[in-house]
Amino acid sequence: MATMESLIVTVNRIQRACTVLGDHGGDTNLPTLWEALPSVVVVGGQSSGKSSVLESIVGRDFLPRGSGIVTRRPLVLQLHKTERGLQEYGEFLHLPKKKFTDFSMVRKEIQDETDRMTGKSKQISPVPIHLSIYSPNVVNLTLIDLPGLTKVAVEGQPESIVQDIEIMVRSYVEKPNCIILAITPANQDIATSDAMKLSREVDPTGERTFGVLTKLDLMDKGTNAIDVLEGRAYPLQHPWVGIVNRSQADIKKNVDMIASRRKEREFFASSPDYGHLASKMGSEYLAKVLSKHLESVIRARLPGITSLINKSIEELEAELSHLGRSVAVDAGAQLYTILELCRAFDRIFKEHLDGGRPGGDRIYGVFDHQLPAALRKLPFDRHLSLQNIRKVVSEADGYQPHLIAPEQGYRRLIDGALNYFRGPAEASVDAVHFLLKELVRRSIAETQELKRFPTLQAEIAAAASEALERFREESKKTTLRMVDMESSYLTVDFFRKLPQEVEKEIPFLRLWFIAK
Ligand SMILES: Nc1nc2c(ncn2[C@@H]2O[C@H](COP(=O)(O)OP(=O)(O)OP(=O)(O)O)[C@@H](O)[C@H]2O)c(=O)[nH]1
């Protein structure tokens, strides 16, 4: 038994952790633990006696009262049984460490906390209020009180309130882990009960529904609810429980809850109609049945809850390691981290260049395809046309006949042809520059370690871009210098070999001889 009681306490703690972490179930992409936890949800129409049942189970007056919709946020009520003789107190999750021993202050805090979230607009909010009650007079149990189902909006409420409440209540009772405490007043036709209508929709087999009949003392003389309580009129998997709460007159007279429980016991014990069911009626019995059932449901769901928690831990740990370790505060350690991150980027950039990742091969493409294609397009035809050769040679060597070859003309023609190489050479530097820039961009995006440091990413991109710009200028100068060097390195040997190359490579020389 002790183990089972601690089970409810453990689930209570998980429920509180869920609220603190903002997990109230509902539409979310994140895994929700809240929805996996079994809970008892109190459902009923307005004035059906929900608050009275809850107060009866707790044995204390602590819920707000008034006209219209008083419960406008879910109230998660966690009951903790304490040692006999210890003082009762309430504690709110949003006010930790503050013990409320005066239960009228608990009521006020529920009202104030409701208003804090919804304003005084009478709107409803799905964010629950958590109240724990520590008392020797309760059983370990968690109950969730929801706004009463209603058919019309009262003054000051939006028209949508009727639907909003139904949607909120439905979102709780639809969960397969929800135990439904469906409250119906006995002095109303059960066929019109909002609670039974909704619970039948979401739990057609009745295995999650506990039917509670209130106001048995208010039934017309000569009538009784035996057919319902014995499970004939409206069969459910769990037996119906009849309740007699404090009447409005009792509340006015300040009849305390302990006296009211006694009165309830006497009502059943002395009733000619319900006497034979007395041991299975009343709010104390209901609390015990619910606690026992909640324990057994938790026990059955425990493996599922454990595996959900383990799965969530695994997912979160994977995400944490993906996000990376926390960054140290001192400057030295930060510098070390930054250098490590830069090294990670550098490694990926090198892989792009040297292999392992694609992209670097396109640099070879510049020299293997782009440059030769550009060279082929150079206007050598025009430059080495018969007409131009004749013009250049005449201008360079004059009208004197040459003994061997017009050397100055040759020189100018070759020099001029080599000059054409400057354009494609510069364009090749630009092409490699753009490829390297693209590889920097890709490497930054692919460095997982940098993912959570957008500012560092921008800094690395800026530094790389600045360096590449500098390299571009230097490379252009070097490349052009190499073209110049080739142009000025026309040696005697070069000219000596030229005539032998005539047939093979330099058709313009043949043309020159013909021209002569
Ligand atoms: N005589 C008698 N009166 C009851 C019983 N249960 C509830 N009442 C009275 O019915 C009225 C409504 O009860 P509540 O407990 O406030 O009902 P509720 O469902 O919480 O109502 P809302 O919060 O307005 O939705 C109160 O005046 C109660 O005193 C009962 O079993 N017998």
PDB file of all heavy atoms in Angstrom, residues 53 56-57 139 141 181 210-212 229 238-243 261 264-265 268 277-293:
ATOM      1  N   VAL A  53     -18.881  18.381  -4.387  1.00  0.00           N
ATOM      2  CA  VAL A  53     -18.279  17.039  -4.325  1.00  0.00           C
ATOM      3  C   VAL A  53     -16.802  17.159  -3.974  1.00  0.00           C
ATOM      4  O   VAL A  53     -16.295  16.450  -3.104  1.00  0.00           O
ATOM      5  CB  VAL A  53     -18.472  16.278  -5.663  1.00  0.00           C
ATOM      6  CG1 VAL A  53     -17.638  15.013  -5.696  1.00  0.00           C
ATOM      7  CG2 VAL A  53     -19.932  15.946  -5.884  1.00  0.00           C
ATOM      8  N   SER A  56     -16.315  18.139  -0.450  1.00  0.00           N
ATOM      9  CA  SER A  56     -16.696  17.014   0.397  1.00  0.00           C
ATOM     10  C   SER A  56     -15.567  15.997   0.472  1.00  0.00           C
ATOM     11  O   SER A  56     -15.279  15.442   1.526  1.00  0.00           O
ATOM     12  CB  SER A  56     -17.924  16.380  -0.230  1.00  0.00           C
ATOM     13  OG  SER A  56     -18.823  16.035   0.710  1.00  0.00           O
ATOM     14  N   ILE A  57     -14.936  15.748  -0.685  1.00  0.00           N
ATOM     15  CA  ILE A  57     -13.827  14.786  -0.716  1.00  0.00           C
ATOM     16  C   ILE A  57     -12.661  15.311   0.134  1.00  0.00           C
ATOM     17  O   ILE A  57     -12.034  14.579   0.881  1.00  0.00           O
ATOM     18  CB  ILE A  57     -13.375  14.530  -2.188  1.00  0.00           C
ATOM     19  CG1 ILE A  57     -14.432  13.689  -2.910  1.00  0.00           C
ATOM     20  CG2 ILE A  57     -12.014  13.841  -2.233  1.00  0.00           C
ATOM     21  CD1 ILE A  57     -14.165  13.484  -4.387  1.00  0.00           C
ATOM     22  N   VAL A 139      -7.463  11.265   1.216  1.00  0.00           N
ATOM     23  CA  VAL A 139      -6.704  10.128   0.670  1.00  0.00           C
ATOM     24  C   VAL A 139      -5.812  10.712  -0.427  1.00  0.00           C
ATOM     25  O   VAL A 139      -6.084  11.792  -0.943  1.00  0.00           O
ATOM     26  CB  VAL A 139      -7.639   9.054   0.059  1.00  0.00           C
ATOM     27  CG1 VAL A 139      -8.374   8.299   1.135  1.00  0.00           C
ATOM     28  CG2 VAL A 139      -8.571   9.665  -0.952  1.00  0.00           C
ATOM     29  N   LEU A 141      -4.847  11.529  -3.750  1.00  0.00           N
ATOM     30  CA  LEU A 141      -5.682  11.564  -4.947  1.00  0.00           C
ATOM     31  C   LEU A 141      -5.434  12.869  -5.689  1.00  0.00           C
ATOM     32  O   LEU A 141      -5.136  13.884  -5.079  1.00  0.00           O
ATOM     33  CB  LEU A 141      -7.160  11.490  -4.525  1.00  0.00           C
ATOM     34  CG  LEU A 141      -8.231  11.475  -5.604  1.00  0.00           C
ATOM     35  CD1 LEU A 141      -8.083  10.259  -6.493  1.00  0.00           C
ATOM     36  CD2 LEU A 141      -9.619  11.462  -4.956  1.00  0.00           C
ATOM     37  N   LEU A 181     -15.028  11.803 -13.802  1.00  0.00           N
ATOM     38  CA  LEU A 181     -15.970  11.824 -12.691  1.00  0.00           C
ATOM     39  C   LEU A 181     -17.156  12.658 -13.174  1.00  0.00           C
ATOM     40  O   LEU A 181     -17.109  13.882 -13.177  1.00  0.00           O
ATOM     41  CB  LEU A 181     -15.293  12.472 -11.474  1.00  0.00           C
ATOM     42  CG  LEU A 181     -15.969  12.262 -10.135  1.00  0.00           C
ATOM     43  CD1 LEU A 181     -16.037  10.791  -9.793  1.00  0.00           C
ATOM     44  CD2 LEU A 181     -15.190  12.993  -9.043  1.00  0.00           C
ATOM     45  N   PHE A 210     -16.827   7.313 -13.936  1.00  0.00           N
ATOM     46  CA  PHE A 210     -17.460   7.074 -12.638  1.00  0.00           C
ATOM     47  C   PHE A 210     -18.673   7.992 -12.578  1.00  0.00           C
ATOM     48  O   PHE A 210     -18.537   9.216 -12.621  1.00  0.00           O
ATOM     49  CB  PHE A 210     -16.497   7.409 -11.492  1.00  0.00           C
ATOM     50  CG  PHE A 210     -15.509   6.309 -11.215  1.00  0.00           C
ATOM     51  CD1 PHE A 210     -14.385   6.159 -12.009  1.00  0.00           C
ATOM     52  CD2 PHE A 210     -15.723   5.412 -10.174  1.00  0.00           C
ATOM     53  CE1 PHE A 210     -13.485   5.139 -11.768  1.00  0.00           C
ATOM     54  CE2 PHE A 210     -14.830   4.381  -9.933  1.00  0.00           C
ATOM     55  CZ  PHE A 210     -13.704   4.240 -10.740  1.00  0.00           C
ATOM     56  N   GLY A 211     -19.869   7.408 -12.498  1.00  0.00           N
ATOM     57  CA  GLY A 211     -21.088   8.220 -12.433  1.00  0.00           C
ATOM     58  C   GLY A 211     -21.351   8.628 -10.989  1.00  0.00           C
ATOM     59  O   GLY A 211     -21.298   7.794 -10.080  1.00  0.00           O
ATOM     60  N   VAL A 212     -21.591   9.916 -10.773  1.00  0.00           N
ATOM     61  CA  VAL A 212     -21.880  10.412  -9.420  1.00  0.00           C
ATOM     62  C   VAL A 212     -23.225  11.126  -9.458  1.00  0.00           C
ATOM     63  O   VAL A 212     -23.451  11.991 -10.309  1.00  0.00           O
ATOM     64  CB  VAL A 212     -20.773  11.382  -8.940  1.00  0.00           C
ATOM     65  CG1 VAL A 212     -21.153  12.002  -7.600  1.00  0.00           C
ATOM     66  CG2 VAL A 212     -19.442  10.669  -8.833  1.00  0.00           C
ATOM     67  N   LEU A 229     -28.528   4.061  -9.383  1.00  0.00           N
ATOM     68  CA  LEU A 229     -27.451   3.661  -8.470  1.00  0.00           C
ATOM     69  C   LEU A 229     -27.139   2.168  -8.551  1.00  0.00           C
ATOM     70  O   LEU A 229     -26.000   1.749  -8.322  1.00  0.00           O
ATOM     71  CB  LEU A 229     -27.804   4.052  -7.033  1.00  0.00           C
ATOM     72  CG  LEU A 229     -27.825   5.571  -6.757  1.00  0.00           C
ATOM     73  CD1 LEU A 229     -28.246   5.863  -5.325  1.00  0.00           C
ATOM     74  CD2 LEU A 229     -26.460   6.198  -7.032  1.00  0.00           C
ATOM     75  N   HIS A 238     -18.109   0.873 -13.788  1.00  0.00           N
ATOM     76  CA  HIS A 238     -17.899   1.072 -12.350  1.00  0.00           C
ATOM     77  C   HIS A 238     -19.237   1.427 -11.713  1.00  0.00           C
ATOM     78  O   HIS A 238     -20.053   2.108 -12.340  1.00  0.00           O
ATOM     79  CB  HIS A 238     -16.917   2.231 -12.112  1.00  0.00           C
ATOM     80  CG  HIS A 238     -15.617   2.036 -12.829  1.00  0.00           C
ATOM     81  ND1 HIS A 238     -14.651   1.188 -12.366  1.00  0.00           N
ATOM     82  CD2 HIS A 238     -15.151   2.552 -13.991  1.00  0.00           C
ATOM     83  CE1 HIS A 238     -13.638   1.202 -13.218  1.00  0.00           C
ATOM     84  NE2 HIS A 238     -13.922   2.022 -14.218  1.00  0.00           N
ATOM     85  N   PRO A 239     -19.422   0.987 -10.433  1.00  0.00           N
ATOM     86  CA  PRO A 239     -20.720   1.281  -9.810  1.00  0.00           C
ATOM     87  C   PRO A 239     -20.937   2.791  -9.611  1.00  0.00           C
ATOM     88  O   PRO A 239     -19.993   3.535  -9.394  1.00  0.00           O
ATOM     89  CB  PRO A 239     -20.630   0.567  -8.460  1.00  0.00           C
ATOM     90  CG  PRO A 239     -19.320  -0.113  -8.404  1.00  0.00           C
ATOM     91  CD  PRO A 239     -18.516   0.232  -9.598  1.00  0.00           C
ATOM     92  N   TRP A 240     -22.196   3.190  -9.695  1.00  0.00           N
ATOM     93  CA  TRP A 240     -22.565   4.585  -9.454  1.00  0.00           C
ATOM     94  C   TRP A 240     -22.388   4.899  -7.964  1.00  0.00           C
ATOM     95  O   TRP A 240     -22.542   4.018  -7.116  1.00  0.00           O
ATOM     96  CB  TRP A 240     -24.024   4.813  -9.829  1.00  0.00           C
ATOM     97  CG  TRP A 240     -24.248   5.000 -11.301  1.00  0.00           C
ATOM     98  CD1 TRP A 240     -24.300   4.022 -12.238  1.00  0.00           C
ATOM     99  CD2 TRP A 240     -24.463   6.236 -11.966  1.00  0.00           C
ATOM    100  NE1 TRP A 240     -24.531   4.560 -13.466  1.00  0.00           N
ATOM    101  CE2 TRP A 240     -24.639   5.936 -13.333  1.00  0.00           C
ATOM    102  CE3 TRP A 240     -24.530   7.566 -11.573  1.00  0.00           C
ATOM    103  CZ2 TRP A 240     -24.877   6.911 -14.285  1.00  0.00           C
ATOM    104  CZ3 TRP A 240     -24.770   8.533 -12.516  1.00  0.00           C
ATOM    105  CH2 TRP A 240     -24.935   8.208 -13.866  1.00  0.00           C
ATOM    106  N   VAL A 241     -22.087   6.153  -7.662  1.00  0.00           N
ATOM    107  CA  VAL A 241     -21.983   6.556  -6.253  1.00  0.00           C
ATOM    108  C   VAL A 241     -22.947   7.725  -6.032  1.00  0.00           C
ATOM    109  O   VAL A 241     -22.942   8.693  -6.789  1.00  0.00           O
ATOM    110  CB  VAL A 241     -20.542   6.985  -5.883  1.00  0.00           C
ATOM    111  CG1 VAL A 241     -20.470   7.399  -4.409  1.00  0.00           C
ATOM    112  CG2 VAL A 241     -19.553   5.857  -6.160  1.00  0.00           C
ATOM    113  N   GLY A 242     -23.782   7.579  -4.982  1.00  0.00           N
ATOM    114  CA  GLY A 242     -24.710   8.662  -4.645  1.00  0.00           C
ATOM    115  C   GLY A 242     -24.082   9.562  -3.588  1.00  0.00           C
ATOM    116  O   GLY A 242     -23.305   9.114  -2.739  1.00  0.00           O
ATOM    117  N   ILE A 243     -24.383  10.849  -3.654  1.00  0.00           N
ATOM    118  CA  ILE A 243     -23.769  11.832  -2.756  1.00  0.00           C
ATOM    119  C   ILE A 243     -24.847  12.764  -2.210  1.00  0.00           C
ATOM    120  O   ILE A 243     -25.776  13.118  -2.939  1.00  0.00           O
ATOM    121  CB  ILE A 243     -22.758  12.710  -3.546  1.00  0.00           C
ATOM    122  CG1 ILE A 243     -21.622  11.887  -4.146  1.00  0.00           C
ATOM    123  CG2 ILE A 243     -22.233  13.877  -2.722  1.00  0.00           C
ATOM    124  CD1 ILE A 243     -20.443  11.691  -3.256  1.00  0.00           C
ATOM    125  N   ARG A 261     -20.303  15.644   6.398  1.00  0.00           N
ATOM    126  CA  ARG A 261     -20.002  14.241   6.064  1.00  0.00           C
ATOM    127  C   ARG A 261     -20.812  13.300   6.976  1.00  0.00           C
ATOM    128  O   ARG A 261     -21.325  12.276   6.537  1.00  0.00           O
ATOM    129  CB  ARG A 261     -18.514  13.957   6.274  1.00  0.00           C
ATOM    130  CG  ARG A 261     -17.643  14.333   5.088  1.00  0.00           C
ATOM    131  CD  ARG A 261     -16.231  13.886   5.372  1.00  0.00           C
ATOM    132  NE  ARG A 261     -15.305  14.243   4.324  1.00  0.00           N
ATOM    133  CZ  ARG A 261     -14.005  14.032   4.402  1.00  0.00           C
ATOM    134  NH1 ARG A 261     -13.489  13.471   5.473  1.00  0.00           N
ATOM    135  NH2 ARG A 261     -13.211  14.368   3.417  1.00  0.00           N
ATOM    136  N   GLU A 264     -24.329  13.178   5.897  1.00  0.00           N
ATOM    137  CA  GLU A 264     -24.454  12.376   4.674  1.00  0.00           C
ATOM    138  C   GLU A 264     -24.506  10.887   5.024  1.00  0.00           C
ATOM    139  O   GLU A 264     -25.343  10.134   4.506  1.00  0.00           O
ATOM    140  CB  GLU A 264     -23.253  12.675   3.769  1.00  0.00           C
ATOM    141  CG  GLU A 264     -23.332  12.003   2.405  1.00  0.00           C
ATOM    142  CD  GLU A 264     -22.050  12.185   1.596  1.00  0.00           C
ATOM    143  OE1 GLU A 264     -20.943  12.201   2.181  1.00  0.00           O
ATOM    144  OE2 GLU A 264     -22.148  12.284   0.368  1.00  0.00           O
ATOM    145  N   ARG A 265     -23.580  10.480   5.956  1.00  0.00           N
ATOM    146  CA  ARG A 265     -23.556   9.067   6.373  1.00  0.00           C
ATOM    147  C   ARG A 265     -24.907   8.670   6.952  1.00  0.00           C
ATOM    148  O   ARG A 265     -25.455   7.609   6.664  1.00  0.00           O
ATOM    149  CB  ARG A 265     -22.457   8.854   7.419  1.00  0.00           C
ATOM    150  CG  ARG A 265     -21.082   8.576   6.804  1.00  0.00           C
ATOM    151  CD  ARG A 265     -20.129   7.943   7.835  1.00  0.00           C
ATOM    152  NE  ARG A 265     -19.907   8.770   8.997  1.00  0.00           N
ATOM    153  CZ  ARG A 265     -18.963   9.714   9.084  1.00  0.00           C
ATOM    154  NH1 ARG A 265     -18.170   9.943   8.055  1.00  0.00           N
ATOM    155  NH2 ARG A 265     -18.813  10.423  10.175  1.00  0.00           N
ATOM    156  N   PHE A 268     -27.751   8.113   4.328  1.00  0.00           N
ATOM    157  CA  PHE A 268     -27.779   6.793   3.666  1.00  0.00           C
ATOM    158  C   PHE A 268     -28.135   5.678   4.633  1.00  0.00           C
ATOM    159  O   PHE A 268     -28.911   4.785   4.301  1.00  0.00           O
ATOM    160  CB  PHE A 268     -26.428   6.517   2.979  1.00  0.00           C
ATOM    161  CG  PHE A 268     -26.233   7.330   1.733  1.00  0.00           C
ATOM    162  CD1 PHE A 268     -25.312   8.358   1.662  1.00  0.00           C
ATOM    163  CD2 PHE A 268     -27.030   7.075   0.612  1.00  0.00           C
ATOM    164  CE1 PHE A 268     -25.155   9.120   0.523  1.00  0.00           C
ATOM    165  CE2 PHE A 268     -26.875   7.849  -0.543  1.00  0.00           C
ATOM    166  CZ  PHE A 268     -25.942   8.866  -0.589  1.00  0.00           C
ATOM    167  N   LEU A 277     -27.411   0.075   0.382  1.00  0.00           N
ATOM    168  CA  LEU A 277     -26.223   0.473  -0.393  1.00  0.00           C
ATOM    169  C   LEU A 277     -25.318   1.402   0.425  1.00  0.00           C
ATOM    170  O   LEU A 277     -24.317   1.901  -0.075  1.00  0.00           O
ATOM    171  CB  LEU A 277     -26.656   1.229  -1.668  1.00  0.00           C
ATOM    172  CG  LEU A 277     -27.429   0.463  -2.727  1.00  0.00           C
ATOM    173  CD1 LEU A 277     -27.929   1.431  -3.797  1.00  0.00           C
ATOM    174  CD2 LEU A 277     -26.543  -0.581  -3.382  1.00  0.00           C
ATOM    175  N   ALA A 278     -25.681   1.640   1.708  1.00  0.00           N
ATOM    176  CA  ALA A 278     -25.034   2.692   2.510  1.00  0.00           C
ATOM    177  C   ALA A 278     -23.509   2.608   2.503  1.00  0.00           C
ATOM    178  O   ALA A 278     -22.825   3.629   2.449  1.00  0.00           O
ATOM    179  CB  ALA A 278     -25.557   2.653   3.943  1.00  0.00           C
ATOM    180  N   SER A 279     -22.977   1.367   2.538  1.00  0.00           N
ATOM    181  CA  SER A 279     -21.500   1.250   2.626  1.00  0.00           C
ATOM    182  C   SER A 279     -20.816   1.657   1.319  1.00  0.00           C
ATOM    183  O   SER A 279     -19.606   1.828   1.282  1.00  0.00           O
ATOM    184  CB  SER A 279     -21.121  -0.176   2.993  1.00  0.00           C
ATOM    185  OG  SER A 279     -21.548  -1.039   1.949  1.00  0.00           O
ATOM    186  N   LYS A 280     -21.603   1.764   0.256  1.00  0.00           N
ATOM    187  CA  LYS A 280     -20.990   2.119  -1.039  1.00  0.00           C
ATOM    188  C   LYS A 280     -21.472   3.471  -1.557  1.00  0.00           C
ATOM    189  O   LYS A 280     -21.501   3.719  -2.765  1.00  0.00           O
ATOM    190  CB  LYS A 280     -21.298   1.029  -2.071  1.00  0.00           C
ATOM    191  CG  LYS A 280     -20.606  -0.250  -1.702  1.00  0.00           C
ATOM    192  CD  LYS A 280     -20.737  -1.288  -2.734  1.00  0.00           C
ATOM    193  CE  LYS A 280     -19.775  -2.400  -2.364  1.00  0.00           C
ATOM    194  NZ  LYS A 280     -19.906  -3.529  -3.178  1.00  0.00           N
ATOM    195  N   MET A 281     -21.899   4.318  -0.625  1.00  0.00           N
ATOM    196  CA  MET A 281     -22.379   5.646  -1.001  1.00  0.00           C
ATOM    197  C   MET A 281     -21.606   6.704  -0.207  1.00  0.00           C
ATOM    198  O   MET A 281     -20.924   6.399   0.768  1.00  0.00           O
ATOM    199  CB  MET A 281     -23.888   5.788  -0.667  1.00  0.00           C
ATOM    200  CG  MET A 281     -24.782   4.888  -1.475  1.00  0.00           C
ATOM    201  SD  MET A 281     -24.917   5.430  -3.189  1.00  0.00           S
ATOM    202  CE  MET A 281     -24.654   3.919  -4.063  1.00  0.00           C
ATOM    203  N   GLY A 282     -21.722   7.934  -0.655  1.00  0.00           N
ATOM    204  CA  GLY A 282     -21.148   9.055   0.109  1.00  0.00           C
ATOM    205  C   GLY A 282     -19.782   9.497  -0.411  1.00  0.00           C
ATOM    206  O   GLY A 282     -19.089   8.769  -1.130  1.00  0.00           O
ATOM    207  N   SER A 283     -19.433  10.742  -0.025  1.00  0.00           N
ATOM    208  CA  SER A 283     -18.203  11.339  -0.563  1.00  0.00           C
ATOM    209  C   SER A 283     -16.941  10.644  -0.062  1.00  0.00           C
ATOM    210  O   SER A 283     -15.951  10.548  -0.795  1.00  0.00           O
ATOM    211  CB  SER A 283     -18.156  12.824  -0.258  1.00  0.00           C
ATOM    212  OG  SER A 283     -18.586  13.059   1.039  1.00  0.00           O
ATOM    213  N   GLU A 284     -16.961  10.155   1.201  1.00  0.00           N
ATOM    214  CA  GLU A 284     -15.754   9.474   1.703  1.00  0.00           C
ATOM    215  C   GLU A 284     -15.508   8.195   0.921  1.00  0.00           C
ATOM    216  O   GLU A 284     -14.368   7.879   0.546  1.00  0.00           O
ATOM    217  CB  GLU A 284     -15.925   9.143   3.186  1.00  0.00           C
ATOM    218  CG  GLU A 284     -15.617  10.319   4.080  1.00  0.00           C
ATOM    219  CD  GLU A 284     -15.893   9.992   5.535  1.00  0.00           C
ATOM    220  OE1 GLU A 284     -17.082  10.010   5.917  1.00  0.00           O
ATOM    221  OE2 GLU A 284     -14.927   9.700   6.255  1.00  0.00           O
ATOM    222  N   TYR A 285     -16.585   7.472   0.670  1.00  0.00           N
ATOM    223  CA  TYR A 285     -16.443   6.223  -0.102  1.00  0.00           C
ATOM    224  C   TYR A 285     -15.947   6.545  -1.511  1.00  0.00           C
ATOM    225  O   TYR A 285     -15.043   5.894  -2.031  1.00  0.00           O
ATOM    226  CB  TYR A 285     -17.792   5.477  -0.143  1.00  0.00           C
ATOM    227  CG  TYR A 285     -17.747   4.258  -1.029  1.00  0.00           C
ATOM    228  CD1 TYR A 285     -17.114   3.087  -0.604  1.00  0.00           C
ATOM    229  CD2 TYR A 285     -18.310   4.274  -2.310  1.00  0.00           C
ATOM    230  CE1 TYR A 285     -17.043   1.973  -1.427  1.00  0.00           C
ATOM    231  CE2 TYR A 285     -18.243   3.161  -3.142  1.00  0.00           C
ATOM    232  CZ  TYR A 285     -17.602   2.018  -2.693  1.00  0.00           C
ATOM    233  OH  TYR A 285     -17.521   0.924  -3.509  1.00  0.00           O
ATOM    234  N   LEU A 286     -16.518   7.594  -2.113  1.00  0.00           N
ATOM    235  CA  LEU A 286     -16.118   7.990  -3.476  1.00  0.00           C
ATOM    236  C   LEU A 286     -14.614   8.289  -3.521  1.00  0.00           C
ATOM    237  O   LEU A 286     -13.896   7.836  -4.433  1.00  0.00           O
ATOM    238  CB  LEU A 286     -16.911   9.230  -3.917  1.00  0.00           C
ATOM    239  CG  LEU A 286     -16.536   9.800  -5.284  1.00  0.00           C
ATOM    240  CD1 LEU A 286     -16.868   8.813  -6.393  1.00  0.00           C
ATOM    241  CD2 LEU A 286     -17.254  11.125  -5.542  1.00  0.00           C
ATOM    242  N   ALA A 287     -14.108   9.023  -2.494  1.00  0.00           N
ATOM    243  CA  ALA A 287     -12.682   9.365  -2.469  1.00  0.00           C
ATOM    244  C   ALA A 287     -11.832   8.098  -2.425  1.00  0.00           C
ATOM    245  O   ALA A 287     -10.834   7.980  -3.148  1.00  0.00           O
ATOM    246  CB  ALA A 287     -12.386  10.246  -1.265  1.00  0.00           C
ATOM    247  N   LYS A 288     -12.244   7.142  -1.601  1.00  0.00           N
ATOM    248  CA  LYS A 288     -11.459   5.906  -1.475  1.00  0.00           C
ATOM    249  C   LYS A 288     -11.471   5.119  -2.780  1.00  0.00           C
ATOM    250  O   LYS A 288     -10.443   4.617  -3.239  1.00  0.00           O
ATOM    251  CB  LYS A 288     -12.018   5.038  -0.329  1.00  0.00           C
ATOM    252  CG  LYS A 288     -11.552   5.526   1.016  1.00  0.00           C
ATOM    253  CD  LYS A 288     -11.973   4.571   2.121  1.00  0.00           C
ATOM    254  CE  LYS A 288     -11.882   5.300   3.470  1.00  0.00           C
ATOM    255  NZ  LYS A 288     -13.029   5.097   4.309  1.00  0.00           N
ATOM    256  N   VAL A 289     -12.656   4.997  -3.389  1.00  0.00           N
ATOM    257  CA  VAL A 289     -12.769   4.239  -4.654  1.00  0.00           C
ATOM    258  C   VAL A 289     -11.890   4.875  -5.729  1.00  0.00           C
ATOM    259  O   VAL A 289     -11.162   4.184  -6.445  1.00  0.00           O
ATOM    260  CB  VAL A 289     -14.244   4.206  -5.123  1.00  0.00           C
ATOM    261  CG1 VAL A 289     -14.360   3.693  -6.554  1.00  0.00           C
ATOM    262  CG2 VAL A 289     -15.067   3.343  -4.208  1.00  0.00           C
ATOM    263  N   LEU A 290     -11.958   6.213  -5.790  1.00  0.00           N
ATOM    264  CA  LEU A 290     -11.179   6.905  -6.829  1.00  0.00           C
ATOM    265  C   LEU A 290      -9.687   6.732  -6.592  1.00  0.00           C
ATOM    266  O   LEU A 290      -8.919   6.484  -7.521  1.00  0.00           O
ATOM    267  CB  LEU A 290     -11.518   8.401  -6.833  1.00  0.00           C
ATOM    268  CG  LEU A 290     -12.849   8.776  -7.450  1.00  0.00           C
ATOM    269  CD1 LEU A 290     -13.084  10.273  -7.318  1.00  0.00           C
ATOM    270  CD2 LEU A 290     -12.902   8.377  -8.926  1.00  0.00           C
ATOM    271  N   SER A 291      -9.262   6.863  -5.330  1.00  0.00           N
ATOM    272  CA  SER A 291      -7.843   6.729  -5.017  1.00  0.00           C
ATOM    273  C   SER A 291      -7.348   5.341  -5.425  1.00  0.00           C
ATOM    274  O   SER A 291      -6.298   5.202  -6.059  1.00  0.00           O
ATOM    275  CB  SER A 291      -7.638   6.960  -3.526  1.00  0.00           C
ATOM    276  OG  SER A 291      -6.308   6.719  -3.187  1.00  0.00           O
ATOM    277  N   LYS A 292      -8.157   4.326  -5.072  1.00  0.00           N
ATOM    278  CA  LYS A 292      -7.762   2.940  -5.392  1.00  0.00           C
ATOM    279  C   LYS A 292      -7.686   2.746  -6.911  1.00  0.00           C
ATOM    280  O   LYS A 292      -6.743   2.156  -7.436  1.00  0.00           O
ATOM    281  CB  LYS A 292      -8.803   1.973  -4.807  1.00  0.00           C
ATOM    282  CG  LYS A 292      -8.155   0.757  -4.208  1.00  0.00           C
ATOM    283  CD  LYS A 292      -9.136   0.023  -3.337  1.00  0.00           C
ATOM    284  CE  LYS A 292      -8.888  -1.447  -3.589  1.00  0.00           C
ATOM    285  NZ  LYS A 292     -10.065  -2.248  -3.511  1.00  0.00           N
ATOM    286  N   HIS A 293      -8.698   3.283  -7.590  1.00  0.00           N
ATOM    287  CA  HIS A 293      -8.726   3.113  -9.048  1.00  0.00           C
ATOM    288  C   HIS A 293      -7.552   3.863  -9.692  1.00  0.00           C
ATOM    289  O   HIS A 293      -6.898   3.329 -10.593  1.00  0.00           O
ATOM    290  CB  HIS A 293     -10.057   3.630  -9.607  1.00  0.00           C
ATOM    291  CG  HIS A 293     -10.195   3.394 -11.071  1.00  0.00           C
ATOM    292  ND1 HIS A 293     -10.331   2.131 -11.600  1.00  0.00           N
ATOM    293  CD2 HIS A 293     -10.158   4.248 -12.121  1.00  0.00           C
ATOM    294  CE1 HIS A 293     -10.396   2.219 -12.918  1.00  0.00           C
ATOM    295  NE2 HIS A 293     -10.296   3.504 -13.256  1.00  0.00           N
TER     296      HIS A 293
END
